[in-house]
Amino acid sequence: MSAYRTAIETNYRMIKGENIAENEREAIVGELLGAAETDPAMPTGSRAMYPVFYIPPQGVKLQSLMAQIPKTKILAGNMYELEILRVLCLLAPEDPRVVFMRDATLERLRSTCFGWEDDGVGECFDASLIVLRFLCAAAPEDREWIKGRIENYNRHADDKKRPWFPLWYFWLCLSEMPLELALPEMERHREELEKKLRRSYVMNSPQDRALHPLLICMLRNLMSRLPEYAWLSGRLVLLNPKDGRARLDMEEVKTA
């Protein structure tokens, strides 16, 4: 479980734009590699839906980056493994162990409905988004696979009774995927993104204080990919001293 917690905390730091020193990178990679299964049961046949290298502990409730608590093993297991492997792909992409686990996991995912099939039912829909984000780090050159998962999201997003979790996670994916694939989706969501970017967020509970600055930074990272919002890059989250709400520093710097 500590490896997953480290992966989530590292995700937070990356999204917020914090610098991770080389010695920290080595420590994170060492911890995550040390937590991998020593004798993984490699899947045979088709539809290998469950993790191989990182298996969540029994009886422990996991939380996603967006504080979603999975109800099924399909979401919990794939979230646990893919979030850890994603960090390894970013911090140690040439490590032979990472390369092996990455390639084997991509092969596993191709054998499932997360490859090319429709995933709109229950938490398979959420797991498909976890796969999408993993692909953006592990196989960004596989444009068709990434596009397939984007199309899967668009087919089913409006059917969801609680669209909050998948919507924000999809926006997170857009902030990290190849720009030519993200741009059409950003234009589709542009009005809502601009509203979210300019609003403030409550900081009342511990979850608010952990999650809302992360969401603000994700919006900053996403929108600063557009030329007209490039000036947002690196902007900080500010707290209003009167009401304690958080917002992004949106004051434009005027040049002479």
Side-chain angles (χ1 to χ4, degrees), residues 45-198:
S46 61
R47 299 187 69 80
M49 297 292 293
Y50 297 99
V52 173
F53 300 105
Y54 292 94
I55 301 172
Q58 294 291 327
V60 176
K61 286 188 177 181
L62 302 175
Q63 276 196 350
S64 74
L65 276 171
M66 303 300 175
Q68 180 181 9
I69 299 175
K71 296 179 176 63
T72 64
K73 290 184 178 179
I74 285 179
L75 177 56
N78 283 288
M79 183 178 76
Y80 189 86
E81 178 167 80
L82 298 185
E83 293 289 17
I84 293 174
L85 281 178
R86 180 185 170 278
V87 171
L88 285 171
C89 287
L90 293 174
L91 297 187
E94 297 181 1
D95 186 291
R97 295 163 292 179
V98 175
V99 171
F100 171 74
M101 290 191 291
R102 178 201 67 198
D103 292 349
T105 300
L106 289 170
E107 184 177 350
R108 173 180 75 81
L109 294 172
R110 285 183 188 279
S111 77
T112 70
C113 50
F114 304 135
W116 308 105
E117 297 179 27
D118 190 74
D119 286 305
V121 178
E123 289 193 336
C124 279
F125 176 76
D126 301 86
S128 181
L129 282 172
I130 302 290
V131 171
L132 170 59
R133 187 166 184 246
F134 175 68
L135 293 177
C136 294
E141 72 286 348
D142 200 328
R143 303 298 205 259
E144 291 305 310
W145 194 353
I146 293 173
K147 286 170 61 178
R149 294 303 87 197
I150 294 172
E151 291 165 2
N152 186 79
Y153 172 82
N154 287 330
R155 275 195 300 273
H156 299 289
D158 292 339
D159 303 335
K160 299 302 165 183
K161 293 180 181 179
R162 297 181 64 191
W164 187 93
F165 290 121
L167 175 63
W168 283 89
Y169 200 89
F170 182 64
W171 287 347
L172 177 61
C173 293
L174 294 181
S175 73
E176 298 168 341
M177 71 176 56
L179 184 57
E180 67 269 23
L181 299 181
L183 282 175
E185 301 303 315
M186 293 171 67
E187 288 301 324
R188 186 177 309 183
H189 292 256
R190 183 167 183 140
E191 182 177 352
E192 188 171 5
L193 284 167
E194 288 180 333
K195 288 180 180 178
K196 299 290 188 189
L197 182 69
R198 295 180 183 279

Side-chain angles (χ1 to χ4, degrees), residues 207-219:
Q207 181 167 301
D208 291 340
R209 291 190 287 273
L211 185 59
H212 287 168
L214 176 79
L215 299 181
I216 295 170
C217 290
M218 181 274 292
L219 288 169

